[in-house]
């Protein structure tokens, strides 16, 4: 990648993920469990995140984006592949070493309430990490650090003695951010950081994340289902479908020139709060549901729902991420797509056709996938 | 006369030993046949309570409902439970946010659809089954005859929502109330469901009351939009008028908070400060005043009234935003 | 467009009023206690138990007669061989028992031993059960493959205990340990071990997949620290509720053992279960002798059950707003 850091010099990658795989065994049996298959939540993902930048991972529920985030942090053990963090291979690190490494890579969760221990007050939540890594010589020094972090995320001092349930959703998310921030990490993986929040609060949190990045030169991996949010906050966007990246591009390019049929469909489905845009644009409606990750389609995983699917190659050859060159279309060197027919689709040589929805049965659901986002309960 | 006329609807939760909560405070709006009306707001603004009150689905104890909700000349708030039961499902149907908890988990989909047909249309046996399959096909469920025998957990979220919509439209209701019908779904599935709802409205002339927190959803499909805040309607306008010029600072702030897919990169979001908890009681002044970027002394002189412009644009604000995009 | 003086204050004050909680830092436990105080069942239970504890503590110093002295036989009023056991009188409020002892004094003094047996037995069961269940739950939730094996071993052992009929188990334990007050307590406690173990384990496993445990792992907190400071405190509520409910059954079970003649070998020491057992020979002469201890046991058990159920409601996160 030729990404440049904000000052214009080439940025070295902080995180390098190569061919990462996370397969969950599906077990069956009365007395002894027998493995009868695997849910391939993440199935061969390469990505690299430059220092001080934001990589946005977007995809629908069940695509494996959350699992990827957790596997990157070694919270879910990967089945294969490698994760290099600042030159250190994480997958082979001894447990003790990994634990002390966690100081440098933190996580922000979707649901701020369930990710905070209801029995801890804010002070003890924030001090826990400091104590675990032996940061700060004494209590006074730790309290000072906690107070500074509280200021940084915009929470009042009186918050220290309060418990999570006494805060509003937005404030809780600030506590979650403070918990990650207090350790002074280099990398923060944010898994759906705003999807559980009210609309007016989402913007506060997004702005806060951006300000913190500017001040502290943080590196983010932002995982979300909302393409608009991801595009807004990220430098590079990766689109995931059924455990694999289908397209990766700088966030401006992905909007200006989406190359993969799935990205196009996703883009056309996001509602825009503007009647003129809404009335004019053409929707690419996908037929049916996401196929089961336990039994993904052969070849290109999207071919069962793809309006551009062709009789050759799509069903039997798995496409890899590659750069394409199309006349009349500016595609940067860091714009990569996993589609056999990307050139012909981009030039308009191939036209979309009708797709008949296939039956998809709800079986073996990905075990650690987060629930689809929902608005907080609306009745009082 | 509109199909549904809601006038001065108020809902007060008054549980024993607890502070009274005025969830809905004098809300009025009309829904005409064949049109889509949006109720927009954040959690706690009273939009869901409004729909439950119209349907008579609020608990009787500890809840005071006042005002009028006239459906086809009949005030639903004064109607007895038995008549309401007949109206619900036949003339007025509802779609909820969470399709899984709205379906009975131990009864096959087919039986749940035929039940509605038997109850309201008197259909039985093979005829009902055939009609049920037809309905599932109409809402875009593939292989409907096989699906009839399946249980809710065997369907995906999108298919469940389709099944619920099939049940809702089984009796060709004249009014459909959709309470956050796509919030629990993925965007590509959301697009499918919204398209389906639009088709239903266009083909059958059903009126649709769309309740959502997503301004993007209403921008694409609602004829007129009502924005609620702290139980009151703070802005109301036909959708093009509203999106061309927002007058109420809350609506302005709400729109400034959403990252737009088509916005150039690097554009800052303009969030509303504070949280929905920071409200002023309406009796004291404007409930939004503590969070408002445009507030002036007059905001707390008393409850602001809805002001109407010539373009059927109403806003409840004493210091409205007048020129386009003036939020700071 | 600026706000001046009083009006600005008014907005700020009202905004704060709506926004910030009035009191400082309310823990969940304190909130649960608040809800408990509003529940009439809890108050009734607490009153019953308060009385019971007061009687057990101070009763023995206040009784009108010596509970082990056969006063009635000495003064010739009681001749149980001939079926003569005088009932309620001004001097002896509940009459004599079959050995001529003052029934009222025995009831009062017996409360102490009944409470003692119940509390010690439950505490024993709670301690052993929590140890086993906590270890199993923590190792299943956080310990990986070997943790799951340890959990499997511990839980199969507990299952064996659970498979045995509780009374049979208690009787065998008393038979092995010999008749003594301590063996009754151990036997009754042992019966509740599997219940506590399974409950704590299940609750801990459920908690171990929650986001805040993942968050603590991501923070780099050590596993045993996570188990002790996150898993355990958040899993204890159902176990404590169960302990309150178990106190009720423990009292009944201890009475059952005494009834079967496996109780305290010092049969002169008053205890409600023993009194109930002794009364069976005189049911037709003086049914009161069976009724008083039975009613005592029932009311006490009811008190514990009421309080336990109220605690369950108060601590239930689903009922919280």
């Amino acid at each position: 990648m030729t990404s440049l850091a904000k000052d214009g010099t080439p940025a070295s990658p902080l995180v390098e993920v190569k061919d990462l795989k996370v397969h969950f065994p599906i077990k069956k049996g009365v007395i002894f469990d027998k493995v009868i298959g695997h849910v391939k939540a993440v199935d061969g993902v390469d990505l690299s995140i430059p220092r001080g930048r934001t990589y946005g991972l977007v995809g629908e529920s069940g695509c494996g984006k959350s699992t990827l985030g957790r596997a990157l942090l070694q919270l879910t053990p990967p089945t294969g592949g490698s994760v290099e963090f600042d030159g250190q291979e994480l997958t082979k690190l001894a447990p003790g070493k990994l634990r002390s490494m966690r100081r440098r890579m933190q996580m922000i969760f979707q649901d701020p309430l369930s990710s905070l221990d209801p029995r801890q007050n804010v002070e003890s939540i924030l001090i826990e990490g400091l104590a675990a890594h032996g940061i700060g010589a004494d209590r006074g020094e730790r309290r000072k650090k906690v107070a500074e972090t509280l200021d940084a995320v915009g929470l009042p001092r009186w918050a220290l003695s309060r418990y999570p349930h006494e805060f509003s959703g937005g404030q809780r998310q600030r506590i979650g951010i403070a918990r990650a921030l207090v350790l002074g990490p280099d990398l923060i993986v944010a898994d759906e950081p705003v999807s559980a929040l009210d609309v007016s609060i989402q913007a506060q949190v997004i702005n806060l994340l951006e300000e913190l990045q500017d001040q502290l030169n943080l590196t983010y991996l932002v995982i979300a289902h909302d393409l608009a949010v991801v595009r807004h906050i990220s430098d590079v966007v990766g689109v995931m479908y059924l455990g694999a990246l289908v397209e990766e591009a700088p966030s401006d390019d992905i909007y200006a020139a989406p190359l993969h049929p799935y990205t196009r469909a996703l883009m056309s489905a996001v509602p825009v709060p503007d009647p003129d845009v809404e009335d004019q644009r053409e929707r690419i409606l996908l037929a049916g549901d996401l196929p089961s990750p336990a039994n993904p389609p052969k070849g290109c995983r999207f071919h069962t729902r793809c309006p551009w699917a062709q009789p050759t190659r799509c069903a039997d050859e798995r496409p890899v991420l590659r750069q394409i060159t199309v006349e009349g279309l500016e595609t940067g060197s860091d714009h990569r797509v996993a589609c056999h027919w990307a050139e012909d689709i981009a030039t308009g040589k191939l036209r979309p056709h009708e797709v008949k929805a296939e039956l998809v049965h709800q079986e073996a659901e990905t075990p650690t996938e987060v629930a689809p986002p929902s608005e907080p309960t609306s009745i009082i | 006369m509109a199909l549904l006329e809601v006038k001065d609807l108020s809902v007060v939760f008054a549980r024993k030993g607890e502070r009274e909560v005025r969830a809905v405070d004098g809300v009025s709006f009309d829904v005409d046949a064949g049109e889509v009306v949006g109720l927009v707001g954040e959690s706690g603004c009273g939009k869901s309570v409004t729909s439950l009150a119209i349907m008579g689905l609020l608990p009787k104890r500890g809840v005071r409902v006042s005002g009028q909700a006239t459906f086809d000349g009949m005030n639903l708030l004064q109607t007895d439970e038995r008549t309401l039961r007949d109206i619900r499902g036949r003339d007025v149907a509802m779609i909820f946010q969470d399709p899984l908890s709205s379906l009975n988990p131990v009864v096959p989909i087919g039986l749940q659809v035929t039940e509605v047909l038997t109850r309201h249309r008197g259909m039985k046996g093979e005829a009902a089954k055939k009609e049920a399959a037809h309905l599932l096909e109409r809402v875009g469920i593939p292989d409907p005859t096989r699906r009839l025998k399946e249980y809710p957990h065997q369907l995906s979220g999108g298919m469940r929502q389709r099944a619920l919509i099939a049940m809702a439209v089984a009796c060709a209701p004249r009014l459909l109330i959709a309470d956050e019908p796509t919030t629990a779904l993925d965007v590509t599935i959301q697009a499918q469901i919204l398209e389906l709802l639009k088709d239903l409205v266009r083909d059958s002339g059903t009126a649709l009351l769309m309740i959502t927190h997503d301004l993007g959803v209403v921008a694409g499909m609602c004829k007129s939009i009502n924005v609620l805040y702290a139980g009151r309607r703070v802005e109301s306008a036909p959708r093009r008028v509203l999106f061309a010029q927002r007058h109420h600072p809350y609506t302005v702030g709400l729109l400034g908070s959403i990252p737009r897919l088509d916005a150039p990169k690097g554009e800052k979001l303009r969030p509303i400060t504070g949280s929905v908890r920071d409200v002023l009681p309406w009796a004291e002044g404007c409930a939004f005043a503590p969070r408002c970027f445009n507030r002036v002394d007059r905001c707390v002189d008393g409850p602001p009234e809805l002001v109407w412009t010539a373009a059927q644009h109403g806003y409840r604000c004493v210091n409205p935003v007048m020129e386009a995009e003036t939020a700071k | 467009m600026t706000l001046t003086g009083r009006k600005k204050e008014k907005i700020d004050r009202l905004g704060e009023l709506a926004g910030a909680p009035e009191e400082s830092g309310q823990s969940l436990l304190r909130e649960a206690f608040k809800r408990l105080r509003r529940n009439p069942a809890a108050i009734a239970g607490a009153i019953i138990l308060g009385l019971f504890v007061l009687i057990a503590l101070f009763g023995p110093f206040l009784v009108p007669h010596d509970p082990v002295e056969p006063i009635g036989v000495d003064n010739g009023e009681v001749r149980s061989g001939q079926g003569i056991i005088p009932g309620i009188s001004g001097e002896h409020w509940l009459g004599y028992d079959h050995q001529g002892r003052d029934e009222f004094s025995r009831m009062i003094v017996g409360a102490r031993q009944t409470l003692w047996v119940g509390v010690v037995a439950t505490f024993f069961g709670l301690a052993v059960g929590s140890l086993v269940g906590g270890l199993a739950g923590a190792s299943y939730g956080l310990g990986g493959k070997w943790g799951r094996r340890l959990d499997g071993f511990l839980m199969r052992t507990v299952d064996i205990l659970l498979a045995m009929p509780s009374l049979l188990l208690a009787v065998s334990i008393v038979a092995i340990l010999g008749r003594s007050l301590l063996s009754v307590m151990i036997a009754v406690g042992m019966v509740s071990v599997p219940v506590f173990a399974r409950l704590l384990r299940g609750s801990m496993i459920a908690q171990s997949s929650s986001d805040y445990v993942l968050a603590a792992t991501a923070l780099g907190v050590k596993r045993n620290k996570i188990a002790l400071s996150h898993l355990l405190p958040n899993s204890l509520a159902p176990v404590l509720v169960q302990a309150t409910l178990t106190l009720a059954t423990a009292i009944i079970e201890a009475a059952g053992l005494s009834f079967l003649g496996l109780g305290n070998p010092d049969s002169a020491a008053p205890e409600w279960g023993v009194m109930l057992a002794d009364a069976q020979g005189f049911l037709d002469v003086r049914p009161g002798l069976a009724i008083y201890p039975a009613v005592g046991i029932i009311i006490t058990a009811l008190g514990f059950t009421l309080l336990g159920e109220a605690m369950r409601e108060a601590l239930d996160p689903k009922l919280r707003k």
Side-chain angles (χ1 to χ4, degrees):
Chain A
M1 297 196 74
T2 56
S3 308
L4 299 179
K6 297 227 158 102
D7 56 6
T9 54
S12 62
L14 179 70
V15 181
E16 285 257 31
V17 174
K18 286 213 179 78
D19 197 28
L20 191 70
K21 287 186 174 124
V22 185
H23 296 178
F24 296 106
I26 307 167
K27 287 178 181 165
K28 218 174 194 172
V30 186
I31 301 172
F32 297 104
D33 289 342
K34 213 169 73 186
V35 177
I36 55 162
H38 282 94
V39 174
K40 295 173 178 165
V42 179
D43 202 18
V45 169
D46 298 284
L47 58 87
S48 106
I49 312 174
R51 218 175 279 272
R53 309 312 273 301
T54 303
Y55 190 103
L57 205 54
V58 70
E60 297 180 280
S61 51
C63 74
K65 57 186 191 301
S66 291
T67 311
L68 175 62
R70 286 171 191 199
L72 193 151
L73 293 178
Q74 308 297 310
L75 290 169
T76 302
T79 318
S82 72
V83 179
E84 223 171 74
F85 176 80
D86 202 12
Q88 286 233 42
E89 176 57 49
L90 294 181
T91 51
K92 296 189 179 71
L93 222 51
K97 282 244 175 66
L98 179 65
R99 200 180 65 76
S100 42
M101 197 66 153
R102 295 202 179 284
R103 191 188 68 74
R104 300 184 54 198
M105 39 187 210
Q106 279 299 306
M107 185 160 176
I108 298 170
F109 293 81
Q110 172 180 14
D111 181 351
L113 188 56
S114 77
S115 64
L116 299 170
D117 186 337
R119 277 166 216 285
Q120 273 186 317
N121 64 18
V122 174
E123 182 173 8
S124 122
I125 289 172
L126 296 184
I127 278 188
E128 183 169 33
L130 293 177
H133 293 284
I135 303 172
D138 53 33
R139 204 174 159 75
E141 204 168 310
R142 282 182 188 162
R143 288 186 88 136
K144 198 170 146 248
K145 201 157 173 58
V146 164
E148 283 167 17
T149 314
L150 222 49
D151 289 344
V153 299
L155 280 173
R157 293 290 169 90
W158 53 257
L160 281 176
S161 61
R162 305 287 168 98
Y163 291 82
H165 67 273
E166 297 175 285
F167 293 91
S168 66
Q171 287 171 320
R172 282 179 201 144
Q173 195 57 295
R174 284 172 198 267
I175 300 173
I177 294 173
R179 172 174 61 187
L181 216 58
V182 74
L183 294 177
D186 301 315
L187 170 74
I188 290 184
V189 174
D191 189 357
E192 299 276 9
V194 297
S195 65
L197 305 176
D198 262 322
V199 181
S200 67
I201 309 299
Q202 288 190 3
Q204 293 176 8
V205 172
I206 291 174
N207 280 359
L208 175 65
L209 287 174
E210 286 179 339
E211 281 160 24
L212 291 171
Q213 180 167 45
D214 288 346
Q215 286 164 19
L216 306 166
N217 194 31
L218 295 166
T219 308
Y220 287 146
L221 173 64
V222 175
I223 300 165
H225 72 285
D226 188 334
L227 191 53
V229 168
V230 169
R231 205 184 84 85
H232 178 89
I233 198 169
S234 310
D235 300 297
V236 179
V237 174
V239 181
M240 249 183 121
Y241 185 79
L242 267 188
L245 282 175
V246 295
E247 186 164 359
E248 188 188 77
S251 59
D252 283 326
D253 294 7
I254 202 121
Y255 177 74
L259 295 177
H260 198 280
Y262 178 65
T263 316
R264 289 180 164 222
L266 204 59
M267 202 86 83
S268 82
V270 178
V272 174
D274 186 334
D276 299 325
V277 178
E278 280 289 311
D279 289 354
Q280 278 161 24
R281 69 191 185 149
E282 209 169 314
R283 281 239 154 76
I284 304 166
L285 286 184
L286 292 183
D289 300 313
L290 198 72
S292 157
N295 186 21
K298 293 262 174 325
C300 173
R301 301 191 157 186
F302 188 56
H303 84 265
T304 52
R305 299 168 76 197
C306 179
W308 282 272
Q310 297 300 306
T312 53
R313 300 186 74 191
C314 288
D316 44 29
E317 189 185 333
R318 193 170 167 190
V320 290
L321 274 183
R322 65 194 174 95
Q323 218 180 297
I324 64 163
T325 40
V326 181
E327 237 172 276
L329 194 70
E330 287 284 319
T331 55
S333 58
D334 40 12
H335 193 156
R336 300 186 298 157
V337 60
C339 174
H340 299 303
W341 306 95
E343 289 90 347
D344 290 349
I345 295 169
T347 54
K349 208 167 131 198
L350 288 177
R351 307 293 312 162
H353 51 73
E354 187 87 356
V355 182
K356 197 158 163 39
E358 271 185 38
L359 277 182
V360 175
H361 272 265
Q362 290 304 99
E363 41 210 359
E365 292 195 353
T366 334
T368 52
E369 205 55 71
V370 285
S374 64
E375 203 216 2
T377 23
S378 299
I379 303 173
I380 310 292
Chain B
M1 181 167 179
L3 182 67
L4 175 74
E5 282 182 8
V6 177
K7 227 180 187 163
D8 253 338
L9 180 74
S10 292
V11 180
V12 179
F13 288 88
R15 292 197 191 89
K16 226 169 64 183
E18 279 173 41
R19 208 157 49 127
E20 278 193 4
V21 179
R22 195 166 268 273
V24 179
D25 196 358
V27 167
S28 312
F29 59 90
D30 294 347
V31 188
D32 262 318
E35 79 175 23
V36 186
V37 171
L39 281 188
V40 185
E42 297 178 281
S43 59
C45 74
K47 56 190 193 299
S48 290
V49 178
T50 303
S51 66
L52 293 175
I54 295 169
M55 292 289 276
L57 290 173
L58 286 171
K60 296 276 171 289
R61 276 181 57 186
V63 180
R64 285 203 314 270
V65 181
S66 59
Q68 286 172 356
T70 319
F71 174 75
D72 200 15
M74 176 174 22
N75 186 358
L76 294 176
L77 304 182
Q78 307 281 314
T79 312
D80 64 297
E81 184 58 33
R82 264 188 60 197
T83 327
L84 264 185
R85 267 206 295 271
D86 279 341
I87 293 174
R88 268 186 235 137
R90 193 186 62 204
D91 297 315
V92 186
M94 197 156 175
I95 308 164
F96 294 94
Q97 174 179 347
D98 182 4
L100 190 55
S101 61
S102 314
L103 288 164
N104 186 340
V106 295
V107 177
I109 296 288
L111 207 59
Q112 301 194 41
V113 180
T114 46
E115 216 173 59
V116 181
L117 294 171
T118 313
R119 163 107 171 75
H120 291 296
R121 280 168 69 181
M123 295 175 88
K124 283 203 177 67
E126 275 308 304
K129 245 185 224 164
K130 237 173 144 180
E131 175 66 17
H134 174 69
L135 279 166
L136 292 193
E137 191 170 14
R138 189 165 154 220
V139 297
I141 296 182
D143 202 356
T145 9
R146 235 182 83 197
R147 291 270 134 162
L148 285 177
K149 294 189 202 86
E150 291 184 349
Y151 293 88
H153 69 268
Q154 293 172 294
L155 301 175
S156 69
M159 287 299 155
R160 276 180 218 135
Q161 194 59 286
R162 282 170 193 268
L164 264 186
I165 294 175
M167 284 163 69
V169 300
C171 305
R174 288 190 288 161
L175 173 66
L176 200 57
I177 300 177
D179 188 356
E180 301 269 10
T182 58
T183 306
L185 305 175
D186 276 317
V187 267
T188 57
I189 309 293
Q190 162 171 297
Q192 296 171 0
I193 299 289
L194 293 180
E195 209 59 34
L196 171 66
L197 285 174
K198 274 192 231 172
D199 287 349
L200 284 172
V201 170
R202 198 181 49 228
D203 298 348
S204 60
T206 303
L208 174 62
L209 178 60
M210 185 81 186
I211 296 166
T212 177
H213 69 281
D214 192 336
L215 276 169
V217 168
V218 292
M221 64 188 299
C222 294
K223 183 165 171 272
S224 63
I225 294 164
N226 298 287
V227 183
L228 299 190
Y229 188 79
R232 283 200 189 185
R233 187 161 62 145
V234 293
E235 187 151 18
S236 168
R239 93 184 150 136
R240 284 185 177 280
V241 177
L242 183 75
F243 281 97
Q245 175 62 66
R246 278 90 53 197
H247 284 317
H248 199 284
Y250 175 61
T251 322
V252 174
L254 215 48
L255 234 84
S257 301
I258 310 172
R260 273 179 67 156
L261 190 61
D262 53 351
K265 171 84 183 143
E267 194 169 288
K268 269 271 175 204
L269 297 177
R270 296 177 308 251
I272 306 174
T273 54
S275 83
V276 279
R277 282 197 199 173
D278 309 329
V279 288
L280 207 61
W282 278 110
E284 300 262 0
C286 174
F288 186 61
R291 303 175 69 191
C292 186
F293 60 84
N294 224 17
R295 68 178 177 207
V296 289
D297 285 8
R298 276 172 299 144
C299 291
V300 289
D301 281 346
E305 293 296 321
L306 262 179
V307 183
W308 291 93
T309 70
Q312 289 179 301
H313 190 161
Y315 51 89
R316 190 185 295 278
C317 182
V318 293
N319 186 31
V321 179
M322 275 315 185
E323 61 276 38
E325 305 296 333
T326 46
K328 344 176 207 319
Chain C
M1 245 191 350
T2 50
L3 281 169
T4 43
R6 193 185 55 82
K7 273 185 183 153
K8 186 169 179 200
E9 267 170 40
K10 186 177 169 191
I11 289 186
D12 290 345
R13 199 190 67 241
L14 284 161
E16 269 168 34
L17 214 74
E22 318 80 61
E23 295 158 50
S24 79
Q26 275 216 356
S27 78
L28 287 177
L29 217 61
R30 213 180 308 166
E31 259 186 35
F33 183 65
K34 255 184 163 173
R35 269 196 302 280
L36 205 59
R37 273 198 322 212
R38 282 205 292 262
N39 185 344
I43 294 169
I47 289 175
I48 293 176
L49 293 182
L51 280 176
F52 179 56
V53 170
L54 281 181
I55 290 171
L57 286 181
F58 301 109
F61 306 110
L62 305 171
V63 287
H65 301 280
D66 187 337
V68 293
E69 200 66 34
I71 317 163
V73 178
D74 292 349
N75 63 17
E77 278 182 51
V78 173
R79 274 159 292 173
S80 21
Q82 291 150 39
I84 300 170
I85 307 171
I88 295 165
S89 67
E91 174 78 2
H92 301 285
W93 296 343
L94 294 177
Y96 294 106
D97 76 346
H98 65 291
Q99 289 186 9
R101 296 171 293 204
D102 181 52
E103 180 77 2
F104 177 73
S105 305
R106 285 182 71 74
M107 278 296 293
I108 297 290
V109 177
R112 176 180 278 193
Q113 203 178 69
T114 307
L115 178 69
W116 184 236
V117 170
V119 168
V120 174
T122 305
F123 191 77
F124 177 79
L126 180 70
V128 178
S130 301
L131 202 68
V132 175
L135 190 62
S139 46
Y140 183 96
L142 305 170
K145 194 166 127 199
W146 284 101
R148 271 197 280 278
R149 287 194 185 165
L150 176 63
D151 165 71
F153 170 73
L154 288 173
M155 280 304 113
R156 292 305 82 74
T157 317
V158 165
D159 284 349
I160 293 171
L161 273 183
L162 198 62
M164 281 193 249
S166 57
L167 197 61
L168 190 67
L169 180 67
V171 169
S172 345
I173 290 171
V174 176
I176 293 167
L177 295 179
R179 268 186 72 184
S180 76
L181 192 60
L182 188 68
S183 33
V184 170
M185 292 173 183
I186 291 177
V188 171
M190 208 60 188
V191 168
S192 61
V193 163
V195 179
F196 286 122
R198 290 219 78 104
L199 203 60
L200 185 62
R201 170 184 176 267
S203 164
M204 278 177 86
I205 288 177
Q207 295 291 335
S208 71
S209 60
S210 65
D211 271 358
Y212 65 82
V213 171
L214 190 70
T217 315
L219 218 53
V221 181
K222 288 193 179 115
R223 278 193 300 202
N224 49 11
K225 176 108 200 300
I226 294 177
L228 286 176
S229 65
H230 292 290
L231 280 186
L232 194 64
N234 281 294
S235 313
L236 271 181
V239 179
L240 290 179
V241 171
Q242 182 61 36
T244 322
L245 296 173
T246 302
L247 262 166
T249 45
I251 288 174
I252 295 172
E253 263 162 30
L257 283 181
S258 307
F259 185 82
L260 291 174
L262 296 168
N264 194 350
D266 176 13
S267 59
E271 198 268 329
W272 291 353
V274 184
M275 289 162 67
L276 190 61
D278 289 347
Q280 64 178 318
F282 308 94
L283 278 180
D284 43 352
V285 188
R286 280 270 291 123
L289 289 183
I291 291 171
Y292 306 137
V295 167
I297 292 171
I298 291 170
I299 289 181
T300 317
L302 181 73
F304 279 117
T305 311
L306 281 177
L307 194 66
E309 288 293 342
M311 267 167 69
R312 191 206 297 281
E313 266 174 43
L315 290 169
D316 191 341
K318 269 178 294 198
L319 296 172
R320 213 174 62 223
K321 269 208 303 185

